Amino acid sequence: MTVAPDRDAAQKDPATGKTPRRERLALTFILVTLAIDAMGIGLILPVMPDLIGEVSGGTLADAALWGGVLATSYAVMQFLFGPVLGSLSDRYGRRPVLLVSLGVMALDYLVMALTQSIWLLLAARIVGGIAAAQQATARAFIADISTDAQRAARFGLVGAAFGVGFVFGPLLGGLLGELGTRAPFWAAAALATANLILGALVLPETVTDRIRRPFRLGRANPFGAFAHVGRLPGVGRLLVVYFLYEFAFIVYPAIWAFFTQARFGWQPSTIGLSLALFGIAIGAVQGGLIRLFLRVLGERGTVIYGLAFNFCAFLAMALVQAGWLGLVLIPLTALGAVVTPALQSMMSAKAGADGQGELQGVVASTRSVAMILSPLVMTGVFFAFTREGGAIWFPGAPFLVAMALMVVCGVVYVARPRAMPAPAE
């Protein structure tokens, strides 16, 4: 698979030396789309423990187990449908895939706002996971409009957009949570609907006949897509590193609300504030500081730094005892959030212009596999160390698991060959 010649050309106006206005608007819209998507997720995080307890009964530890089941079912659907939506976008375009997914997401939040059953809540998370698989299409959109030199920084902007969403989402969710467990879901539905309307008005199409690729079911299912993308030189090992890193980092969304209630006795408003601080830091790191890391350390050095920093951050989180110190530490942990943009840039550089949707679908599915397994493991460890009658009470235990995974992740990454032979023409 070869890269189209104009993909490596500088996409700037020859007269002004600046990125064309139409491209800037397109990039801005997709980042706003991702930020609003993150806001919808962040809105509901502070109230999930209370909502699960409301519809299922049981203790906080029991709610944590259900939280793991809900997160895993959501991730299973992302895993199965990430390559499907990515391949559909390679064939039919990014615009229709994104707009349909946004519509389904809005309806999903409405169901969650109205349900009185844990099983209907589970069904809603399954449908929501299918809709959320459109994130791969959004990343493919960015790859479509970016040169090799722009990709790493722009994938960093993706993380920054999620960070911005997590600034306002948890803050608003925490405040609305004081009004009731359902209020954040109504707000999330309204945000998704507003985003759908905005997309219908301004979202352009980036898939042209030059890069359009026929839809093939064999490559659209995650297993076929993994097999194809894995044959690209060097991509397989990078996917393993990406999986290990995401598995560890998912400890934050998987157990944060439960962990902070157990250790600090925080209410939804404080949980929302802590997640907002984390989002601010993520936005600063992936929207700006990552450029400094990339310039000084390069992509390889940036990944190594991020893994080492996260090792220390997970250890600190496992041992922290004071609530005020937890509020200080949570934004500092974002200083290690430079790994995924660098890895995504490395992998994107190895794929052709007609395969960016498929590649990003595989990347999304890799993260989804981590999201399938990690919440079950992390909430299971949390349950084991916080349940009534347990041998040891230690709610920070999941962070020690994440810390150990950073070691494994680092070994796999450092052991990879520094250079791969060029494929024969």
Side-chain angles (χ1 to χ4, degrees):
M1 184 180 294
T2 58
V3 177
D6 61 347
R7 186 178 169 191
D8 295 320
Q11 298 181 14
K12 294 184 178 181
D13 189 316
T16 64
K18 298 181 179 179
T19 303
R21 180 173 179 272
R22 182 177 181 181
E23 181 180 320
R24 292 199 306 272
L25 288 174
L27 178 62
T28 299
F29 170 78
I30 209 70
L31 293 175
V32 170
T33 298
L34 293 170
I36 293 178
D37 186 30
M39 283 187 68
I41 297 171
L43 271 169
I44 67 177
L45 282 178
V47 299
M48 283 304 288
D50 292 336
L51 176 65
I52 294 172
E54 179 182 309
V55 299
S56 69
T59 65
L60 180 64
D62 295 328
L65 286 181
W66 266 113
V69 172
L70 293 174
T72 294
S73 62
Y74 187 88
V76 167
M77 294 301 104
Q78 282 190 306
F79 167 72
L80 294 175
F81 285 88
V84 174
L85 296 189
S87 292
L88 285 172
S89 76
D90 283 339
R91 171 63 180 87
Y92 298 105
R94 317 297 184 208
R95 177 184 167 89
V97 171
L98 287 168
L99 294 183
V100 171
S101 298
L102 289 171
V104 173
M105 192 174 296
L107 292 175
D108 184 68
Y109 285 130
L110 287 177
V111 172
M112 295 179 72
L114 297 170
T115 183
Q116 299 293 329
S117 164
I118 187 65
W119 299 108
L120 187 55
L121 186 63
L122 176 60
R125 286 290 76 194
I126 290 173
V127 175
I130 297 173
Q134 56 84 18
Q135 293 176 15
T137 303
R139 291 186 175 90
F141 183 100
I142 291 177
D144 289 342
I145 64 173
S146 302
T147 66
D148 286 347
Q150 295 170 327
R151 260 196 312 270
R154 286 187 171 179
F155 280 130
L157 290 176
V158 171
F162 276 102
V164 170
F166 268 98
V167 171
F168 296 102
L171 273 178
L172 185 57
L175 293 173
L176 291 173
E178 300 297 330
L179 302 177
T181 56
R182 308 310 175 106
F185 295 93
W186 289 107
L191 281 173
T193 301
N195 196 32
L196 171 62
I197 295 171
L198 179 62
L201 293 175
V202 305
L203 182 64
E205 182 55 72
T206 59
V207 175
T208 64
D209 290 338
R210 181 182 63 82
I211 65 173
R212 194 180 306 277
R213 192 191 67 195
F215 178 83
R216 295 188 177 91
L217 186 59
R219 286 173 60 167
N221 74 80
F223 306 103
F226 270 111
H228 176 77
V229 170
R231 288 195 291 268
L232 296 174
V235 170
R237 187 178 293 267
L238 292 177
L239 283 172
V240 172
V241 175
Y242 186 86
F243 166 77
L244 292 171
Y245 176 81
E246 288 291 341
F247 191 107
F249 206 77
I250 288 168
V251 69
Y252 290 114
I255 64 126
W256 185 251
F258 306 101
F259 167 74
T260 53
Q261 277 198 26
R263 172 151 296 178
F264 309 133
W266 284 357
Q267 298 300 313
S269 57
T270 309
I271 295 172
L273 173 62
S274 66
L275 290 171
L277 291 174
F278 183 71
I280 292 172
I282 286 284
V285 171
Q286 295 193 333
L289 285 179
I290 189 173
R291 299 170 189 268
L292 176 61
F293 285 114
L294 291 169
R295 184 165 61 249
V296 175
L297 301 176
E299 289 177 341
R300 179 178 172 84
T302 296
V303 172
I304 293 173
Y305 152 77
L307 297 177
F309 186 93
N310 280 295
F311 175 90
C312 299
F314 289 135
L315 177 60
M317 277 297 177
L319 301 177
V320 66
Q321 297 293 327
W324 69 267
L325 187 54
L327 282 175
V328 172
L329 284 176
I330 188 63
L332 291 179
T333 60
L335 290 173
V338 295
V339 176
T340 51
L343 289 174
Q344 286 172 341
S345 177
M346 294 178 192
M347 290 185 283
S348 181
K350 298 176 184 297
D354 64 343
Q356 289 300 314
E358 179 183 42
L359 171 67
Q360 296 305 324
V362 168
V363 171
S365 286
T366 301
R367 185 173 188 272
S368 296
V369 174
M371 291 181 67
I372 291 167
L373 301 176
S374 183
L376 290 177
V377 172
M378 299 304 181
T379 56
V381 171
F382 180 85
F383 174 81
F385 284 89
T386 59
R387 66 184 178 88
E388 295 180 4
I392 301 175
W393 190 86
F394 184 48
F399 289 106
L400 293 182
V401 176
M403 182 188 72
L405 284 170
M406 284 294 98
V407 177
V408 180
C409 189
V411 170
V412 173
Y413 182 73
V414 173
R416 78 172 179 86
R418 289 179 176 270
M420 298 294 294
E425 292 293 338

